[in-house]
Amino acid sequence: NAGVTQTPKFRVLKTGQSMTLLCAQDMNHEYMYWYRQDPGMGLRLIHYSVGEGTTAKGEVPDGYNVSRLKKQNFLLGLESAAPSQTSVYFCASSYPTGGMDEKLFFGSGTQLSVL
Amino acid sequence: DAKTTQPTSMDCAEGRAANLPCNHSTISGNEYVYWYRQIHSQGPQYIIHGLKNNETNEMASLIITEDRKSSTLILPHATLRDTAVYYCIAISYNTDKLIFGTGTRLQVFP
């Protein structure tokens, strides 16, 4: 199993450009998350999804959009990139068990720089 | 969901036990305490979790106080590779958005 795969691993954008980050998981997980991490900071939740076709806002959703058209994929879009969106982006997935065994599996991250 | 509070940073000598505290005074009866760690810029990694009993696995031990208002993650023999940021979070049956907080930066020194 590949687990959680994020593409691309690195990307450089110019201000105003758009792009989509792809997260794919092969564990049949219901829940998927997108986090961002700025240098020296903790993880901040951008958007999340509790199932196919559903999405919800996290702590810092502004400037991002997401879609979960297929259960295994969770896309994060930047319509008009800004330098403030320079960050490392992590995707994660989990299977809801009421907390009993709800381990999060993370991807290896995408380093995004907006110039 | 319960808010967790952790010290910003801690140091530990290699070979000694590292004890990382977490305060979760508002935790409810159905919320589990989970610990993750993030080494350098990698994705966070699951360590251990528990509800009210102490837990141990190959990575660490988790001690939860009887009133469940706080817990301690114990790395029994810290190595340099344990240098990382450690996150404590609470998860329950109705948890959907998982908020991580800033965690504790553990520095293990020779």
Side-chain angles (χ1 to χ4, degrees), chain A residues 33 35 37 42-43 45 48 59 90 98-104 106-107, chain B residues 32 34 36 38 41-44 46 49 87 92-93 95-100:
Chain A
Y33 307 85
Y35 293 89
Q37 186 171 38
L43 296 161
L45 182 63
Y48 64 100
E59 303 173 272
F90 288 102
M100 289 184 291
D101 193 25
E102 205 154 322
K103 299 173 187 174
L104 277 171
F106 282 83
Chain B
Y32 289 73
Y34 276 71
Y36 288 82
Q38 186 177 25
S41 55
Q42 299 175 21
Y46 165 83
H49 72 281
Y87 297 97
S92 73
Y93 72 93
T95 297
D96 48 13
K97 55 181 180 181
L98 293 175
I99 307 298
F100 267 73

PDB file of all heavy atoms in Angstrom, chain A residues 33 35 37 42-43 45 48 59 90 98-104 106-107, chain B residues 32 34 36 38 41-44 46 49 87 92-93 95-100:
ATOM      1  N   TYR A  33      -8.032  15.408   5.212  1.00  0.00           N
ATOM      2  CA  TYR A  33      -7.732  16.737   5.739  1.00  0.00           C
ATOM      3  C   TYR A  33      -6.628  17.391   4.916  1.00  0.00           C
ATOM      4  O   TYR A  33      -5.731  16.715   4.418  1.00  0.00           O
ATOM      5  CB  TYR A  33      -7.234  16.645   7.191  1.00  0.00           C
ATOM      6  CG  TYR A  33      -8.141  15.885   8.130  1.00  0.00           C
ATOM      7  CD1 TYR A  33      -8.067  14.494   8.230  1.00  0.00           C
ATOM      8  CD2 TYR A  33      -9.060  16.559   8.930  1.00  0.00           C
ATOM      9  CE1 TYR A  33      -8.894  13.803   9.095  1.00  0.00           C
ATOM     10  CE2 TYR A  33      -9.880  15.869   9.802  1.00  0.00           C
ATOM     11  CZ  TYR A  33      -9.793  14.498   9.882  1.00  0.00           C
ATOM     12  OH  TYR A  33     -10.616  13.810  10.750  1.00  0.00           O
ATOM     13  N   TYR A  35      -3.770  20.394   5.723  1.00  0.00           N
ATOM     14  CA  TYR A  35      -3.151  21.292   6.697  1.00  0.00           C
ATOM     15  C   TYR A  35      -2.065  22.097   6.001  1.00  0.00           C
ATOM     16  O   TYR A  35      -1.482  21.672   5.013  1.00  0.00           O
ATOM     17  CB  TYR A  35      -2.486  20.511   7.830  1.00  0.00           C
ATOM     18  CG  TYR A  35      -3.423  19.757   8.739  1.00  0.00           C
ATOM     19  CD1 TYR A  35      -3.804  18.450   8.454  1.00  0.00           C
ATOM     20  CD2 TYR A  35      -3.912  20.349   9.904  1.00  0.00           C
ATOM     21  CE1 TYR A  35      -4.658  17.752   9.303  1.00  0.00           C
ATOM     22  CE2 TYR A  35      -4.761  19.666  10.755  1.00  0.00           C
ATOM     23  CZ  TYR A  35      -5.129  18.369  10.443  1.00  0.00           C
ATOM     24  OH  TYR A  35      -5.968  17.694  11.286  1.00  0.00           O
ATOM     25  N   GLN A  37       1.606  24.287   7.083  1.00  0.00           N
ATOM     26  CA  GLN A  37       2.566  24.504   8.161  1.00  0.00           C
ATOM     27  C   GLN A  37       3.583  25.538   7.719  1.00  0.00           C
ATOM     28  O   GLN A  37       4.372  25.309   6.809  1.00  0.00           O
ATOM     29  CB  GLN A  37       3.262  23.203   8.545  1.00  0.00           C
ATOM     30  CG  GLN A  37       4.163  23.352   9.759  1.00  0.00           C
ATOM     31  CD  GLN A  37       4.678  22.025  10.252  1.00  0.00           C
ATOM     32  OE1 GLN A  37       4.985  21.137   9.473  1.00  0.00           O
ATOM     33  NE2 GLN A  37       4.764  21.875  11.568  1.00  0.00           N
ATOM     34  N   GLY A  42       3.024  25.336  14.101  1.00  0.00           N
ATOM     35  CA  GLY A  42       2.320  24.067  14.113  1.00  0.00           C
ATOM     36  C   GLY A  42       1.452  23.901  12.881  1.00  0.00           C
ATOM     37  O   GLY A  42       1.434  24.747  11.987  1.00  0.00           O
ATOM     38  N   LEU A  43       0.740  22.803  12.832  1.00  0.00           N
ATOM     39  CA  LEU A  43      -0.162  22.525  11.712  1.00  0.00           C
ATOM     40  C   LEU A  43      -1.463  23.304  11.886  1.00  0.00           C
ATOM     41  O   LEU A  43      -2.030  23.340  12.980  1.00  0.00           O
ATOM     42  CB  LEU A  43      -0.486  21.032  11.675  1.00  0.00           C
ATOM     43  CG  LEU A  43       0.686  20.092  11.412  1.00  0.00           C
ATOM     44  CD1 LEU A  43       0.332  18.695  11.867  1.00  0.00           C
ATOM     45  CD2 LEU A  43       1.033  20.092   9.948  1.00  0.00           C
ATOM     46  N   LEU A  45      -5.361  23.634  10.200  1.00  0.00           N
ATOM     47  CA  LEU A  45      -6.317  22.947   9.345  1.00  0.00           C
ATOM     48  C   LEU A  45      -6.942  23.921   8.353  1.00  0.00           C
ATOM     49  O   LEU A  45      -7.517  24.939   8.740  1.00  0.00           O
ATOM     50  CB  LEU A  45      -7.401  22.296  10.206  1.00  0.00           C
ATOM     51  CG  LEU A  45      -8.463  21.489   9.474  1.00  0.00           C
ATOM     52  CD1 LEU A  45      -7.834  20.288   8.768  1.00  0.00           C
ATOM     53  CD2 LEU A  45      -9.537  21.021  10.462  1.00  0.00           C
ATOM     54  N   TYR A  48     -11.442  20.183   5.388  1.00  0.00           N
ATOM     55  CA  TYR A  48     -11.492  18.753   5.610  1.00  0.00           C
ATOM     56  C   TYR A  48     -12.746  18.187   4.966  1.00  0.00           C
ATOM     57  O   TYR A  48     -13.649  18.932   4.540  1.00  0.00           O
ATOM     58  CB  TYR A  48     -11.435  18.417   7.101  1.00  0.00           C
ATOM     59  CG  TYR A  48     -12.598  18.918   7.921  1.00  0.00           C
ATOM     60  CD1 TYR A  48     -13.643  18.068   8.265  1.00  0.00           C
ATOM     61  CD2 TYR A  48     -12.651  20.241   8.354  1.00  0.00           C
ATOM     62  CE1 TYR A  48     -14.709  18.528   9.027  1.00  0.00           C
ATOM     63  CE2 TYR A  48     -13.715  20.695   9.110  1.00  0.00           C
ATOM     64  CZ  TYR A  48     -14.733  19.849   9.445  1.00  0.00           C
ATOM     65  OH  TYR A  48     -15.790  20.311  10.189  1.00  0.00           O
ATOM     66  N   GLU A  59      -9.590  25.865  10.137  1.00  0.00           N
ATOM     67  CA  GLU A  59      -9.180  27.092  10.822  1.00  0.00           C
ATOM     68  C   GLU A  59      -8.830  28.236   9.876  1.00  0.00           C
ATOM     69  O   GLU A  59      -9.089  29.401  10.175  1.00  0.00           O
ATOM     70  CB  GLU A  59      -7.941  26.815  11.676  1.00  0.00           C
ATOM     71  CG  GLU A  59      -8.082  25.721  12.709  1.00  0.00           C
ATOM     72  CD  GLU A  59      -6.727  25.441  13.349  1.00  0.00           C
ATOM     73  OE1 GLU A  59      -5.978  24.605  12.820  1.00  0.00           O
ATOM     74  OE2 GLU A  59      -6.428  26.079  14.368  1.00  0.00           O
ATOM     75  N   PHE A  90       0.264  19.642   4.036  1.00  0.00           N
ATOM     76  CA  PHE A  90       0.161  18.224   4.366  1.00  0.00           C
ATOM     77  C   PHE A  90      -1.279  17.766   4.215  1.00  0.00           C
ATOM     78  O   PHE A  90      -2.211  18.429   4.656  1.00  0.00           O
ATOM     79  CB  PHE A  90       0.607  17.958   5.803  1.00  0.00           C
ATOM     80  CG  PHE A  90       2.083  18.083   6.026  1.00  0.00           C
ATOM     81  CD1 PHE A  90       2.608  19.216   6.617  1.00  0.00           C
ATOM     82  CD2 PHE A  90       2.944  17.056   5.653  1.00  0.00           C
ATOM     83  CE1 PHE A  90       3.968  19.340   6.831  1.00  0.00           C
ATOM     84  CE2 PHE A  90       4.307  17.174   5.862  1.00  0.00           C
ATOM     85  CZ  PHE A  90       4.819  18.314   6.448  1.00  0.00           C
ATOM     86  N   GLY A  98     -14.904   6.698  16.235  1.00  0.00           N
ATOM     87  CA  GLY A  98     -15.332   7.284  17.496  1.00  0.00           C
ATOM     88  C   GLY A  98     -14.155   7.559  18.406  1.00  0.00           C
ATOM     89  O   GLY A  98     -14.321   7.712  19.619  1.00  0.00           O
ATOM     90  N   GLY A  99     -12.968   7.603  17.846  1.00  0.00           N
ATOM     91  CA  GLY A  99     -11.779   7.901  18.632  1.00  0.00           C
ATOM     92  C   GLY A  99     -11.011   6.670  19.083  1.00  0.00           C
ATOM     93  O   GLY A  99      -9.862   6.745  19.488  1.00  0.00           O
ATOM     94  N   MET A 100     -11.637   5.481  19.001  1.00  0.00           N
ATOM     95  CA  MET A 100     -11.007   4.289  19.556  1.00  0.00           C
ATOM     96  C   MET A 100      -9.704   3.919  18.854  1.00  0.00           C
ATOM     97  O   MET A 100      -8.762   3.462  19.477  1.00  0.00           O
ATOM     98  CB  MET A 100     -11.985   3.112  19.479  1.00  0.00           C
ATOM     99  CG  MET A 100     -13.136   3.224  20.452  1.00  0.00           C
ATOM    100  SD  MET A 100     -14.181   1.760  20.401  1.00  0.00           S
ATOM    101  CE  MET A 100     -14.910   1.932  18.780  1.00  0.00           C
ATOM    102  N   ASP A 101      -9.679   4.095  17.546  1.00  0.00           N
ATOM    103  CA  ASP A 101      -8.458   3.749  16.807  1.00  0.00           C
ATOM    104  C   ASP A 101      -8.346   4.652  15.597  1.00  0.00           C
ATOM    105  O   ASP A 101      -8.108   4.199  14.493  1.00  0.00           O
ATOM    106  CB  ASP A 101      -8.494   2.282  16.383  1.00  0.00           C
ATOM    107  CG  ASP A 101      -7.134   1.810  15.896  1.00  0.00           C
ATOM    108  OD1 ASP A 101      -6.120   2.410  16.304  1.00  0.00           O
ATOM    109  OD2 ASP A 101      -7.079   0.864  15.093  1.00  0.00           O
ATOM    110  N   GLU A 102      -8.515   5.947  15.822  1.00  0.00           N
ATOM    111  CA  GLU A 102      -8.634   6.888  14.726  1.00  0.00           C
ATOM    112  C   GLU A 102      -7.286   7.496  14.384  1.00  0.00           C
ATOM    113  O   GLU A 102      -7.086   8.701  14.512  1.00  0.00           O
ATOM    114  CB  GLU A 102      -9.618   7.986  15.112  1.00  0.00           C
ATOM    115  CG  GLU A 102     -10.266   8.656  13.927  1.00  0.00           C
ATOM    116  CD  GLU A 102     -11.615   9.246  14.276  1.00  0.00           C
ATOM    117  OE1 GLU A 102     -12.359   8.624  15.058  1.00  0.00           O
ATOM    118  OE2 GLU A 102     -11.913  10.334  13.784  1.00  0.00           O
ATOM    119  N   LYS A 103      -6.387   6.653  13.916  1.00  0.00           N
ATOM    120  CA  LYS A 103      -5.058   7.127  13.588  1.00  0.00           C
ATOM    121  C   LYS A 103      -5.089   7.926  12.301  1.00  0.00           C
ATOM    122  O   LYS A 103      -5.739   7.542  11.334  1.00  0.00           O
ATOM    123  CB  LYS A 103      -4.104   5.954  13.418  1.00  0.00           C
ATOM    124  CG  LYS A 103      -3.953   5.109  14.655  1.00  0.00           C
ATOM    125  CD  LYS A 103      -3.135   3.867  14.341  1.00  0.00           C
ATOM    126  CE  LYS A 103      -3.133   2.935  15.543  1.00  0.00           C
ATOM    127  NZ  LYS A 103      -2.468   1.658  15.222  1.00  0.00           N
ATOM    128  N   LEU A 104      -4.363   9.035  12.313  1.00  0.00           N
ATOM    129  CA  LEU A 104      -4.196   9.844  11.119  1.00  0.00           C
ATOM    130  C   LEU A 104      -2.969   9.375  10.357  1.00  0.00           C
ATOM    131  O   LEU A 104      -1.930   9.101  10.949  1.00  0.00           O
ATOM    132  CB  LEU A 104      -3.991  11.306  11.483  1.00  0.00           C
ATOM    133  CG  LEU A 104      -5.208  12.167  11.774  1.00  0.00           C
ATOM    134  CD1 LEU A 104      -4.767  13.509  12.321  1.00  0.00           C
ATOM    135  CD2 LEU A 104      -6.042  12.354  10.529  1.00  0.00           C
ATOM    136  N   PHE A 106      -0.453  10.618   7.371  1.00  0.00           N
ATOM    137  CA  PHE A 106      -0.065  11.836   6.671  1.00  0.00           C
ATOM    138  C   PHE A 106       0.735  11.540   5.414  1.00  0.00           C
ATOM    139  O   PHE A 106       1.482  10.563   5.337  1.00  0.00           O
ATOM    140  CB  PHE A 106       0.782  12.736   7.566  1.00  0.00           C
ATOM    141  CG  PHE A 106      -0.016  13.507   8.567  1.00  0.00           C
ATOM    142  CD1 PHE A 106      -0.393  12.928   9.762  1.00  0.00           C
ATOM    143  CD2 PHE A 106      -0.381  14.819   8.314  1.00  0.00           C
ATOM    144  CE1 PHE A 106      -1.136  13.641  10.697  1.00  0.00           C
ATOM    145  CE2 PHE A 106      -1.120  15.540   9.238  1.00  0.00           C
ATOM    146  CZ  PHE A 106      -1.498  14.944  10.427  1.00  0.00           C
ATOM    147  N   GLY A 107       0.592  12.434   4.449  1.00  0.00           N
ATOM    148  CA  GLY A 107       1.453  12.412   3.294  1.00  0.00           C
ATOM    149  C   GLY A 107       2.787  13.065   3.628  1.00  0.00           C
ATOM    150  O   GLY A 107       2.988  13.573   4.731  1.00  0.00           O
TER     151      GLY A 107
ATOM    152  N   TYR B  32     -10.601  10.480  23.460  1.00  0.00           N
ATOM    153  CA  TYR B  32      -9.330   9.799  23.567  1.00  0.00           C
ATOM    154  C   TYR B  32      -8.202  10.826  23.444  1.00  0.00           C
ATOM    155  O   TYR B  32      -8.314  11.810  22.712  1.00  0.00           O
ATOM    156  CB  TYR B  32      -9.180   8.761  22.461  1.00  0.00           C
ATOM    157  CG  TYR B  32     -10.069   7.551  22.616  1.00  0.00           C
ATOM    158  CD1 TYR B  32     -11.433   7.630  22.383  1.00  0.00           C
ATOM    159  CD2 TYR B  32      -9.534   6.328  22.993  1.00  0.00           C
ATOM    160  CE1 TYR B  32     -12.249   6.525  22.530  1.00  0.00           C
ATOM    161  CE2 TYR B  32     -10.344   5.202  23.134  1.00  0.00           C
ATOM    162  CZ  TYR B  32     -11.697   5.316  22.897  1.00  0.00           C
ATOM    163  OH  TYR B  32     -12.502   4.217  23.047  1.00  0.00           O
ATOM    164  N   TYR B  34      -4.572  11.430  21.928  1.00  0.00           N
ATOM    165  CA  TYR B  34      -3.657  10.921  20.919  1.00  0.00           C
ATOM    166  C   TYR B  34      -2.368  11.739  20.928  1.00  0.00           C
ATOM    167  O   TYR B  34      -2.394  12.950  21.145  1.00  0.00           O
ATOM    168  CB  TYR B  34      -4.280  11.033  19.520  1.00  0.00           C
ATOM    169  CG  TYR B  34      -5.194   9.901  19.139  1.00  0.00           C
ATOM    170  CD1 TYR B  34      -6.442   9.748  19.726  1.00  0.00           C
ATOM    171  CD2 TYR B  34      -4.792   8.980  18.179  1.00  0.00           C
ATOM    172  CE1 TYR B  34      -7.269   8.702  19.372  1.00  0.00           C
ATOM    173  CE2 TYR B  34      -5.613   7.925  17.813  1.00  0.00           C
ATOM    174  CZ  TYR B  34      -6.845   7.791  18.410  1.00  0.00           C
ATOM    175  OH  TYR B  34      -7.665   6.749  18.061  1.00  0.00           O
ATOM    176  N   TYR B  36       1.113  12.499  18.532  1.00  0.00           N
ATOM    177  CA  TYR B  36       1.822  12.383  17.263  1.00  0.00           C
ATOM    178  C   TYR B  36       3.149  13.123  17.394  1.00  0.00           C
ATOM    179  O   TYR B  36       3.317  13.967  18.259  1.00  0.00           O
ATOM    180  CB  TYR B  36       1.016  13.051  16.136  1.00  0.00           C
ATOM    181  CG  TYR B  36      -0.203  12.290  15.722  1.00  0.00           C
ATOM    182  CD1 TYR B  36      -1.393  12.381  16.440  1.00  0.00           C
ATOM    183  CD2 TYR B  36      -0.181  11.459  14.601  1.00  0.00           C
ATOM    184  CE1 TYR B  36      -2.514  11.668  16.068  1.00  0.00           C
ATOM    185  CE2 TYR B  36      -1.296  10.746  14.217  1.00  0.00           C
ATOM    186  CZ  TYR B  36      -2.452  10.854  14.959  1.00  0.00           C
ATOM    187  OH  TYR B  36      -3.562  10.139  14.584  1.00  0.00           O
ATOM    188  N   GLN B  38       6.382  14.988  14.853  1.00  0.00           N
ATOM    189  CA  GLN B  38       6.803  15.418  13.538  1.00  0.00           C
ATOM    190  C   GLN B  38       8.308  15.652  13.576  1.00  0.00           C
ATOM    191  O   GLN B  38       8.778  16.555  14.279  1.00  0.00           O
ATOM    192  CB  GLN B  38       6.069  16.698  13.121  1.00  0.00           C
ATOM    193  CG  GLN B  38       6.369  17.125  11.700  1.00  0.00           C
ATOM    194  CD  GLN B  38       5.582  18.343  11.290  1.00  0.00           C
ATOM    195  OE1 GLN B  38       5.168  19.138  12.122  1.00  0.00           O
ATOM    196  NE2 GLN B  38       5.358  18.498   9.999  1.00  0.00           N
ATOM    197  N   SER B  41      10.802  18.174   8.828  1.00  0.00           N
ATOM    198  CA  SER B  41       9.736  18.654   7.955  1.00  0.00           C
ATOM    199  C   SER B  41       8.923  17.508   7.364  1.00  0.00           C
ATOM    200  O   SER B  41       8.220  17.689   6.377  1.00  0.00           O
ATOM    201  CB  SER B  41      10.333  19.496   6.834  1.00  0.00           C
ATOM    202  OG  SER B  41      11.316  18.768   6.145  1.00  0.00           O
ATOM    203  N   GLN B  42       8.980  16.338   8.008  1.00  0.00           N
ATOM    204  CA  GLN B  42       8.208  15.201   7.524  1.00  0.00           C
ATOM    205  C   GLN B  42       6.757  15.329   7.960  1.00  0.00           C
ATOM    206  O   GLN B  42       6.416  16.161   8.815  1.00  0.00           O
ATOM    207  CB  GLN B  42       8.787  13.903   8.085  1.00  0.00           C
ATOM    208  CG  GLN B  42      10.224  13.633   7.680  1.00  0.00           C
ATOM    209  CD  GLN B  42      10.768  12.394   8.373  1.00  0.00           C
ATOM    210  OE1 GLN B  42      10.008  11.546   8.836  1.00  0.00           O
ATOM    211  NE2 GLN B  42      12.079  12.281   8.450  1.00  0.00           N
ATOM    212  N   GLY B  43       5.894  14.494   7.433  1.00  0.00           N
ATOM    213  CA  GLY B  43       4.519  14.441   7.893  1.00  0.00           C
ATOM    214  C   GLY B  43       4.460  13.872   9.297  1.00  0.00           C
ATOM    215  O   GLY B  43       5.266  13.015   9.658  1.00  0.00           O
ATOM    216  N   PRO B  44       3.544  14.333  10.145  1.00  0.00           N
ATOM    217  CA  PRO B  44       3.427  13.798  11.496  1.00  0.00           C
ATOM    218  C   PRO B  44       3.192  12.291  11.503  1.00  0.00           C
ATOM    219  O   PRO B  44       2.615  11.733  10.571  1.00  0.00           O
ATOM    220  CB  PRO B  44       2.223  14.561  12.061  1.00  0.00           C
ATOM    221  CG  PRO B  44       2.213  15.849  11.308  1.00  0.00           C
ATOM    222  CD  PRO B  44       2.652  15.481   9.929  1.00  0.00           C
ATOM    223  N   TYR B  46       1.963   8.921  13.941  1.00  0.00           N
ATOM    224  CA  TYR B  46       1.232   8.475  15.127  1.00  0.00           C
ATOM    225  C   TYR B  46       2.182   7.813  16.133  1.00  0.00           C
ATOM    226  O   TYR B  46       3.094   7.055  15.750  1.00  0.00           O
ATOM    227  CB  TYR B  46       0.155   7.479  14.704  1.00  0.00           C
ATOM    228  CG  TYR B  46      -0.433   6.671  15.838  1.00  0.00           C
ATOM    229  CD1 TYR B  46      -1.448   7.181  16.635  1.00  0.00           C
ATOM    230  CD2 TYR B  46       0.032   5.375  16.099  1.00  0.00           C
ATOM    231  CE1 TYR B  46      -1.989   6.425  17.671  1.00  0.00           C
ATOM    232  CE2 TYR B  46      -0.511   4.624  17.127  1.00  0.00           C
ATOM    233  CZ  TYR B  46      -1.508   5.155  17.913  1.00  0.00           C
ATOM    234  OH  TYR B  46      -2.034   4.401  18.932  1.00  0.00           O
ATOM    235  N   HIS B  49      -2.123   6.241  21.765  1.00  0.00           N
ATOM    236  CA  HIS B  49      -3.339   6.894  22.225  1.00  0.00           C
ATOM    237  C   HIS B  49      -3.936   6.119  23.394  1.00  0.00           C
ATOM    238  O   HIS B  49      -3.593   4.943  23.608  1.00  0.00           O
ATOM    239  CB  HIS B  49      -4.364   7.045  21.097  1.00  0.00           C
ATOM    240  CG  HIS B  49      -5.034   5.767  20.675  1.00  0.00           C
ATOM    241  ND1 HIS B  49      -4.407   4.851  19.848  1.00  0.00           N
ATOM    242  CD2 HIS B  49      -6.263   5.268  20.942  1.00  0.00           C
ATOM    243  CE1 HIS B  49      -5.236   3.850  19.628  1.00  0.00           C
ATOM    244  NE2 HIS B  49      -6.353   4.062  20.280  1.00  0.00           N
ATOM    245  N   TYR B  87       2.871  16.408  19.375  1.00  0.00           N
ATOM    246  CA  TYR B  87       1.534  16.984  19.456  1.00  0.00           C
ATOM    247  C   TYR B  87       0.607  16.081  20.259  1.00  0.00           C
ATOM    248  O   TYR B  87       0.599  14.864  20.069  1.00  0.00           O
ATOM    249  CB  TYR B  87       0.929  17.146  18.067  1.00  0.00           C
ATOM    250  CG  TYR B  87       1.664  18.085  17.146  1.00  0.00           C
ATOM    251  CD1 TYR B  87       2.567  17.606  16.214  1.00  0.00           C
ATOM    252  CD2 TYR B  87       1.428  19.459  17.185  1.00  0.00           C
ATOM    253  CE1 TYR B  87       3.229  18.466  15.343  1.00  0.00           C
ATOM    254  CE2 TYR B  87       2.086  20.324  16.326  1.00  0.00           C
ATOM    255  CZ  TYR B  87       2.985  19.812  15.414  1.00  0.00           C
ATOM    256  OH  TYR B  87       3.643  20.673  14.560  1.00  0.00           O
ATOM    257  N   SER B  92     -12.897  12.372  19.720  1.00  0.00           N
ATOM    258  CA  SER B  92     -14.073  11.658  20.208  1.00  0.00           C
ATOM    259  C   SER B  92     -14.931  11.207  19.030  1.00  0.00           C
ATOM    260  O   SER B  92     -14.569  11.440  17.881  1.00  0.00           O
ATOM    261  CB  SER B  92     -14.898  12.544  21.132  1.00  0.00           C
ATOM    262  OG  SER B  92     -15.565  13.538  20.368  1.00  0.00           O
ATOM    263  N   TYR B  93     -16.076  10.601  19.334  1.00  0.00           N
ATOM    264  CA  TYR B  93     -16.937  10.074  18.276  1.00  0.00           C
ATOM    265  C   TYR B  93     -17.464  11.173  17.377  1.00  0.00           C
ATOM    266  O   TYR B  93     -17.792  10.940  16.232  1.00  0.00           O
ATOM    267  CB  TYR B  93     -18.105   9.309  18.891  1.00  0.00           C
ATOM    268  CG  TYR B  93     -19.137  10.195  19.554  1.00  0.00           C
ATOM    269  CD1 TYR B  93     -20.259  10.639  18.852  1.00  0.00           C
ATOM    270  CD2 TYR B  93     -18.986  10.592  20.876  1.00  0.00           C
ATOM    271  CE1 TYR B  93     -21.204  11.450  19.455  1.00  0.00           C
ATOM    272  CE2 TYR B  93     -19.919  11.403  21.488  1.00  0.00           C
ATOM    273  CZ  TYR B  93     -21.024  11.825  20.779  1.00  0.00           C
ATOM    274  OH  TYR B  93     -21.948  12.634  21.383  1.00  0.00           O
ATOM    275  N   THR B  95     -15.761  13.992  16.672  1.00  0.00           N
ATOM    276  CA  THR B  95     -14.669  14.830  16.194  1.00  0.00           C
ATOM    277  C   THR B  95     -14.585  14.728  14.686  1.00  0.00           C
ATOM    278  O   THR B  95     -14.520  13.633  14.145  1.00  0.00           O
ATOM    279  CB  THR B  95     -13.323  14.383  16.789  1.00  0.00           C
ATOM    280  OG1 THR B  95     -13.361  14.549  18.200  1.00  0.00           O
ATOM    281  CG2 THR B  95     -12.183  15.208  16.221  1.00  0.00           C
ATOM    282  N   ASP B  96     -14.637  15.837  14.009  1.00  0.00           N
ATOM    283  CA  ASP B  96     -14.432  15.781  12.566  1.00  0.00           C
ATOM    284  C   ASP B  96     -13.232  16.616  12.157  1.00  0.00           C
ATOM    285  O   ASP B  96     -12.378  16.168  11.424  1.00  0.00           O
ATOM    286  CB  ASP B  96     -15.685  16.196  11.798  1.00  0.00           C
ATOM    287  CG  ASP B  96     -16.293  17.489  12.312  1.00  0.00           C
ATOM    288  OD1 ASP B  96     -15.620  18.197  13.086  1.00  0.00           O
ATOM    289  OD2 ASP B  96     -17.416  17.804  11.926  1.00  0.00           O
ATOM    290  N   LYS B  97     -13.148  17.833  12.646  1.00  0.00           N
ATOM    291  CA  LYS B  97     -11.969  18.616  12.302  1.00  0.00           C
ATOM    292  C   LYS B  97     -10.930  18.493  13.419  1.00  0.00           C
ATOM    293  O   LYS B  97     -11.193  18.812  14.566  1.00  0.00           O
ATOM    294  CB  LYS B  97     -12.331  20.073  12.041  1.00  0.00           C
ATOM    295  CG  LYS B  97     -13.066  20.789  13.136  1.00  0.00           C
ATOM    296  CD  LYS B  97     -13.344  22.215  12.670  1.00  0.00           C
ATOM    297  CE  LYS B  97     -14.091  23.000  13.719  1.00  0.00           C
ATOM    298  NZ  LYS B  97     -14.390  24.375  13.260  1.00  0.00           N
ATOM    299  N   LEU B  98      -9.762  17.999  13.054  1.00  0.00           N
ATOM    300  CA  LEU B  98      -8.706  17.737  14.018  1.00  0.00           C
ATOM    301  C   LEU B  98      -7.760  18.930  14.083  1.00  0.00           C
ATOM    302  O   LEU B  98      -7.056  19.221  13.122  1.00  0.00           O
ATOM    303  CB  LEU B  98      -7.953  16.469  13.640  1.00  0.00           C
ATOM    304  CG  LEU B  98      -8.775  15.188  13.749  1.00  0.00           C
ATOM    305  CD1 LEU B  98      -7.990  14.002  13.248  1.00  0.00           C
ATOM    306  CD2 LEU B  98      -9.197  14.964  15.188  1.00  0.00           C
ATOM    307  N   ILE B  99      -7.764  19.593  15.221  1.00  0.00           N
ATOM    308  CA  ILE B  99      -6.921  20.772  15.433  1.00  0.00           C
ATOM    309  C   ILE B  99      -5.681  20.349  16.209  1.00  0.00           C
ATOM    310  O   ILE B  99      -5.795  19.780  17.298  1.00  0.00           O
ATOM    311  CB  ILE B  99      -7.690  21.867  16.205  1.00  0.00           C
ATOM    312  CG1 ILE B  99      -9.010  22.176  15.500  1.00  0.00           C
ATOM    313  CG2 ILE B  99      -6.817  23.104  16.365  1.00  0.00           C
ATOM    314  CD1 ILE B  99      -8.875  22.716  14.111  1.00  0.00           C
ATOM    315  N   PHE B 100      -4.496  20.630  15.672  1.00  0.00           N
ATOM    316  CA  PHE B 100      -3.261  20.133  16.267  1.00  0.00           C
ATOM    317  C   PHE B 100      -2.622  21.055  17.297  1.00  0.00           C
ATOM    318  O   PHE B 100      -1.941  20.602  18.173  1.00  0.00           O
ATOM    319  CB  PHE B 100      -2.236  19.838  15.168  1.00  0.00           C
ATOM    320  CG  PHE B 100      -2.288  18.421  14.709  1.00  0.00           C
ATOM    321  CD1 PHE B 100      -3.339  17.974  13.933  1.00  0.00           C
ATOM    322  CD2 PHE B 100      -1.306  17.522  15.076  1.00  0.00           C
ATOM    323  CE1 PHE B 100      -3.412  16.651  13.536  1.00  0.00           C
ATOM    324  CE2 PHE B 100      -1.358  16.200  14.678  1.00  0.00           C
ATOM    325  CZ  PHE B 100      -2.402  15.759  13.905  1.00  0.00           C
TER     326      PHE B 100
END
